[in-house]
Amino acid sequence: MRTGASITRRLTLSVLLLEVLAGLVLIAIVTNHERQVRFETFDANLRASANELLGAVQEANSMDGSVRLESEGLHLPPRAAFRVLVDNGQVLGGRGVVPTVAFESDKVSRARIEGRPFRFYVLKGDRIIDPNSSRAVTHRVTIIYGLPEGRTWHAIFEATRFFALATVILLGVTAIFMSWLVRRLLHPIRELALKADKIDAEHLTFDAPESSKQFLELRPLAFAIQETTARLQRSFERQRRFTSDAAHELKTDLAIVKSSIQLLAMKRRTVEEYEQGLALGRDDIGRLESTVQKMLTLARLEQSVNVDQRECNFAAIVSDAITQSQSYGQVKNVAVFTTETEQYAFILLNPEDALLLCSNVLINAIQHSPENGRVEVALESRVDEVVLRVRDYGLGINEDDLPFLFDPFYRGDASRSRKSGGTGLGLSICKAICERGGGTISIANRTEGGAEVCILLPLASSWRP
Amino acid sequence: MRVLLVEDELRLAANIASGLREAGFAVDHAADGNEGLAYAEQNLFDIIVLDLMLPGLEGRDVLRFLRKKGIHAPVLILTAQEGKTTIIEMLNSGADDYLAKPFDLGELIARVKALIRRSKGASSPRLRVAELEVDTILQAVRRGDTIIDLSPTEYRILEYLAHRPRAVVSKQELLEHLYDYEWEHHSNVIEAHISNLRRKISIPEQETIIETLRHRGYRLRSGDKQ
């Protein structure tokens, strides 16, 4: 059983319904027009015949001065009914039944004779006998002439029937043509659907078929599908890359741990060698653990934002992070300076996340600083946002790497980053935290040398001046 | 035998190199694709162990360039990437074998040995040199039931020569294939080792197994591969 409405059927039915309505109105108009024209002719005929009768009275020879009706040579239809009256009701001649009611003269009136509708015309005229002599006598002649309407009505009915039949045939033809046309016009939709149906996780590409691009109405749909697919593909691609990179990372770390142990087991070794091997293995496992930890952090941050997101004083957290990073800076002989600071800057982030963000950025800056270098931190409150800038005086960032810095597991120089203990997740985590707080993070090279990280975070609404 | 290890992960590279060295190989390490290709182009290596994901030039490109340049050393691919397509693509591009990370170090060494053996035209891990048997797995040389005690370098020289019976192997070639760049190169080191080796494996009344061809190198008198 087919369920659901069909556009083809609906469209065809709507058009047919409109056509039926139009047909009915047309038939009504045509019928009315036909009736008018027919009866005008009918009435003209009545008048002509009445005049003919009057003529016959006027032209009849009068032998004895009386009025006569010369009915020979008159061509009156057999179904006509008439009376010719003179003066005071003397009937000169007539046929059929004529109503006795007094009709107005020069007017067409309707009457029913023996149950059939008739139209009568009353004509009044004079018959002057011996008009040229002094004895001229004038007689008033009244002619009542009528014809049954039946035939005319029949003709009107015939005409109407013809139009009705023509309309029905037209409707049929239109219905067939319409459904064909609609089907044809809807074909691009079917093509679009067929193409859209082929989209799946494996083939996340959609190229709208040409037919759908031709139609103004279909273009938005085709475009929307195309855009959605592209968005999905990008997101899938990101996910896929993350999974693959994560797997690569974990497998590499595992390969290190495994090979370290296997290397130790390859032959009998001295106690010192075993101790050294174990220490290395411990480091390897530590790194594996840190990679897993960071991946979990990133996964948590990228999940939908918590409803109970807390507020924290970013200014206090920045100064905490600076204090914490200074000890690491001392190891690397890098000084961390505050050039500008605020007392309060409340933002919508969990304090732990905010601290992680700040220390990640600071440690990154220290790592990229040269020996005896410095890192400058500036915190500035604006109308509705707070800006944190962290500058280092290192080598800066390779221009080629700039667009990918925040991609998970991206390392400008893989071996170098690995050596410094980076997992390639630090900046991705920073970005995720900033986005969680509704802000942004960016890195740029400074013209004076070194790089600057700029973090913009909106102030919590309750703290905006 | 000399191995080129192209691996960007330094800790892993260190472990593999140590394992291979302990198994009697000379190992050179390259930390990225470009360096790896530059090393490999010298055509000194009996095998190349190549990681796929490398900074600079990717592993697959290193492999393609190598094959294009006519370097036929067997290539063992190390990969942490999933997927049959990668493996098929690599094998079709001229790789000889692959190992997925995290692999077994013992398996890696065994595969390296097998690939070298194959590339030298031997299918058995036991090579015959005249009446001697060289066991490449145990790294032992036997005459009948007696094991001949050789130093690791002497063994490596004999194994290298055993892989190329009847061919003239120059001192330079021996140096290149038995030592990595971390060793000092001295051709008289080879002469000393050859002389010791000759003494250990020859029977006094008989002709020497290792011939010296003046200014050309060394040749096994008669090699018999199984």
Side-chain angles (χ1 to χ4, degrees):
Chain A
M1 200 177 83
R2 281 174 63 183
T3 51
S6 147
I7 292 188
T8 313
R9 259 181 297 169
R10 281 204 179 175
L11 238 116
T12 313
L13 278 177
S14 311
V15 171
L16 287 185
L17 195 71
L18 283 176
E19 274 191 13
V20 167
L21 279 177
L24 285 178
V25 171
L26 194 72
I27 288 169
I29 291 170
V30 163
T31 307
N32 190 43
H33 176 76
E34 192 72 17
R35 192 178 62 83
Q36 246 169 5
V37 170
R38 293 265 175 187
F39 278 109
E40 267 168 30
T41 319
F42 190 96
D43 294 347
N45 275 339
L46 284 183
R47 269 192 295 275
S49 298
N51 276 312
E52 210 181 335
L53 273 172
L54 183 61
V57 172
Q58 284 168 338
E59 271 150 42
N61 292 326
S62 179
M63 305 296 184
D64 49 358
S66 66
V67 185
R68 278 189 341 105
L69 171 67
E70 192 71 69
S71 57
E72 263 141 60
L74 284 177
H75 301 291
L76 299 175
R79 57 188 193 286
F82 66 90
R83 283 285 179 284
V84 181
L85 304 166
V86 178
D87 298 333
N88 38 17
Q90 181 201 346
V91 178
L92 279 189
R95 195 196 301 156
V97 188
V98 170
T100 46
V101 271
F103 289 117
E104 260 183 276
S105 67
D106 280 333
K107 265 262 165 89
V108 176
S109 313
R110 305 183 64 188
R112 290 192 83 82
I113 306 296
E114 292 165 356
R116 287 159 63 204
F118 269 71
R119 282 169 95 88
F120 284 97
Y121 181 70
V122 178
L123 180 68
K124 291 199 169 149
D126 294 332
R127 168 71 170 103
I128 307 166
I129 297 170
D130 289 337
N132 304 321
S133 71
S134 56
R135 296 180 288 127
V137 182
T138 304
H139 296 279
R140 299 283 298 161
V141 179
T142 305
I143 293 165
I144 305 165
Y145 182 83
L147 276 172
E149 287 179 343
R151 284 202 174 195
T152 307
W153 279 122
H154 182 72
I156 293 168
F157 172 73
E158 281 297 310
T160 307
R161 203 171 63 161
F162 170 77
F163 276 110
L165 204 69
T167 307
V168 168
I169 290 170
L170 261 174
L171 279 176
V173 172
T174 315
I176 293 166
F177 180 68
M178 267 297 291
S179 59
W180 173 78
L181 194 72
V182 171
R183 244 180 258 275
R184 216 184 122 87
L185 283 176
L186 288 183
H187 185 66
I189 296 186
R190 267 200 298 279
E191 265 193 348
L192 197 64
L194 225 68
K195 195 92 181 221
D197 194 42
K198 293 210 175 89
I199 303 170
D200 58 26
E202 304 292 300
H203 308 92
L204 261 178
T205 49
F206 178 79
D207 190 23
E210 276 309 308
S211 57
S212 61
K213 287 184 195 158
Q214 282 170 5
F215 291 94
L216 220 60
E217 292 84 348
L218 281 184
R219 258 184 240 159
L221 180 61
F223 186 69
I225 298 177
Q226 216 161 328
E227 281 299 290
T228 309
T229 318
R231 258 200 311 278
L232 276 176
Q233 198 199 358
R234 280 196 294 274
S235 139
F236 262 108
E237 197 40 59
R238 249 200 324 275
Q239 285 292 325
R240 206 173 300 176
R241 206 170 49 225
F242 181 83
T243 314
S244 142
D245 289 350
H248 181 267
E249 212 66 17
L250 291 176
K251 281 179 185 172
T252 306
D253 283 341
L254 269 179
I256 295 170
V257 173
K258 197 170 167 183
S259 61
S260 294
I261 293 167
Q262 284 171 338
L263 187 64
L264 272 188
M266 266 177 80
K267 62 174 191 189
R268 282 208 158 275
R269 290 172 198 278
T270 63
V271 174
E272 287 76 34
E273 280 176 323
Y274 279 124
E275 278 175 352
Q276 205 183 353
L278 279 177
L280 281 173
R282 221 176 14 242
D283 289 350
D284 295 337
I285 289 172
R287 186 162 45 188
L288 176 60
E289 198 182 346
S290 136
T291 305
V292 171
Q293 195 55 51
K294 284 183 181 172
M295 274 165 58
L296 289 176
T297 304
L298 189 60
R300 173 180 67 81
L301 289 168
E302 282 183 345
Q303 272 167 11
S304 55
V305 178
N306 262 344
V307 223
D308 50 61
Q309 188 89 300
R310 277 176 290 158
E311 282 183 13
C312 68
N313 183 3
F314 196 51
I317 279 166
V318 169
S319 83
D320 280 359
I322 291 172
T323 314
Q324 280 180 19
S325 67
Q326 264 158 351
S327 56
Y328 179 64
Q330 274 161 13
V331 176
K332 286 215 55 181
N333 233 335
V334 174
V336 182
F337 287 97
T338 311
T339 55
E340 221 181 309
T341 189
E342 300 278 338
Q343 203 157 12
Y344 298 106
F346 281 84
I347 55 162
L348 211 64
L349 262 182
N350 290 333
E352 303 84 54
D353 291 345
L355 185 64
L356 183 61
L357 168 68
C358 295
S359 46
N360 266 357
V361 170
L362 280 170
I363 285 169
N364 212 34
I366 293 170
Q367 273 174 355
H368 289 97
S369 289
E371 190 85 3
N372 296 319
R374 56 187 275 145
V375 169
E376 292 168 4
V377 184
L379 184 71
E380 183 199 340
S381 237
R382 292 186 188 164
V383 182
D384 53 0
E385 60 186 6
V386 59
V387 188
L388 175 70
R389 289 176 200 280
V390 178
R391 290 178 179 171
D392 67 57
Y393 289 83
L395 293 171
I397 296 144
N398 190 343
E399 292 290 321
D400 295 341
D401 295 333
L402 277 175
F404 311 108
L405 284 179
F406 296 101
D407 289 0
F409 301 112
Y410 185 83
R411 297 196 195 99
D413 179 344
S415 49
R416 201 189 60 197
S417 265
R418 268 273 184 185
K419 248 190 285 180
S420 60
T423 48
L425 285 175
L427 285 176
S428 305
I429 289 173
C430 288
K431 189 179 178 219
I433 295 173
C434 285
E435 282 173 357
R436 212 176 167 78
T440 57
I441 179 169
S442 59
I443 301 186
N445 283 324
R446 293 183 307 131
T447 42
E448 312 94 283
E452 182 184 271
V453 177
C454 178
I455 293 169
L456 282 176
L457 285 165
L459 289 171
S461 48
S462 51
W463 277 88
R464 287 183 197 172
Chain B
M1 297 292 154
R2 190 162 171 185
V3 182
L4 171 61
L5 173 64
V6 190
E7 165 66 64
D8 63 315
E9 182 46 57
L10 298 182
R11 279 287 297 127
L12 186 59
N15 283 346
I16 297 172
S18 301
L20 285 170
R21 285 198 184 109
E22 284 183 9
F25 292 93
V27 182
D28 286 284
H29 170 237
D32 67 56
N34 290 312
E35 194 187 349
L37 187 61
Y39 266 111
E41 277 173 344
Q42 299 169 21
N43 212 356
L44 303 173
F45 299 95
D46 300 291
I47 186 165
I48 297 164
V49 178
L50 181 64
D51 182 29
L52 271 194
M53 231 190 224
L54 291 169
L57 200 60
E58 269 198 53
R60 64 191 67 213
D61 297 322
V62 173
L63 176 63
R64 249 189 290 274
F65 281 129
L66 281 182
R67 294 310 188 217
K68 216 156 133 192
K69 291 193 167 150
I71 290 156
H72 297 298
V75 171
L76 170 63
I77 296 283
L78 296 182
T79 173
Q81 280 167 332
E82 288 292 334
K84 281 272 176 283
T85 45
T86 320
I87 294 158
I88 292 168
E89 190 199 332
M90 287 301 104
L91 291 176
N92 283 340
S93 310
D96 297 84
D97 202 354
Y98 84 96
L99 265 178
K101 289 178 189 174
F103 49 80
D104 198 288
L105 197 57
E107 188 183 351
L108 175 96
I109 294 167
R111 279 185 197 248
V112 165
K113 282 182 180 171
L115 284 171
I116 291 177
R117 211 159 60 219
R118 261 324 131 55
S119 74
K120 309 281 181 195
S123 56
S124 162
R126 286 193 195 87
L127 309 171
R128 290 206 80 84
V129 180
E131 59 278 7
L132 302 177
E133 187 190 79
V134 180
D135 187 326
T136 57
I137 294 174
L138 297 175
Q139 303 199 343
V141 179
R142 282 193 199 87
R143 174 179 287 117
D145 287 334
T146 356
I147 289 181
I148 300 173
D149 187 28
L150 296 181
S151 77
T153 314
E154 288 158 6
Y155 168 79
R156 271 143 68 181
I157 292 173
L158 184 62
E159 190 198 306
Y160 190 83
L161 291 172
H163 274 302
R164 310 194 52 195
R166 281 185 287 274
V168 179
V169 179
S170 69
K171 266 188 240 171
Q172 185 60 31
E173 186 178 341
L174 280 175
L175 266 178
E176 284 171 354
H177 285 266
L178 301 182
Y179 297 98
D180 50 50
Y181 282 123
E182 285 171 20
W183 290 67
E184 285 292 325
H185 293 187
H186 288 300
S187 58
N188 51 4
V189 169
I190 296 286
E191 277 168 36
H193 283 303
I194 291 271
S195 140
N196 286 339
L197 181 61
R198 218 177 246 153
R199 194 166 40 77
K200 287 183 182 172
I201 62 172
S202 297
I203 301 166
E205 307 87 68
Q206 282 182 8
E207 219 184 325
T208 177
I209 294 173
I210 304 169
E211 284 180 86
T212 306
L213 296 128
R214 267 190 163 284
H215 303 303
R216 288 171 64 200
Y218 305 98
R219 182 168 63 186
L220 281 187
R221 183 167 44 80
S222 74
D224 188 12
K225 273 189 286 178
Q226 274 183 345

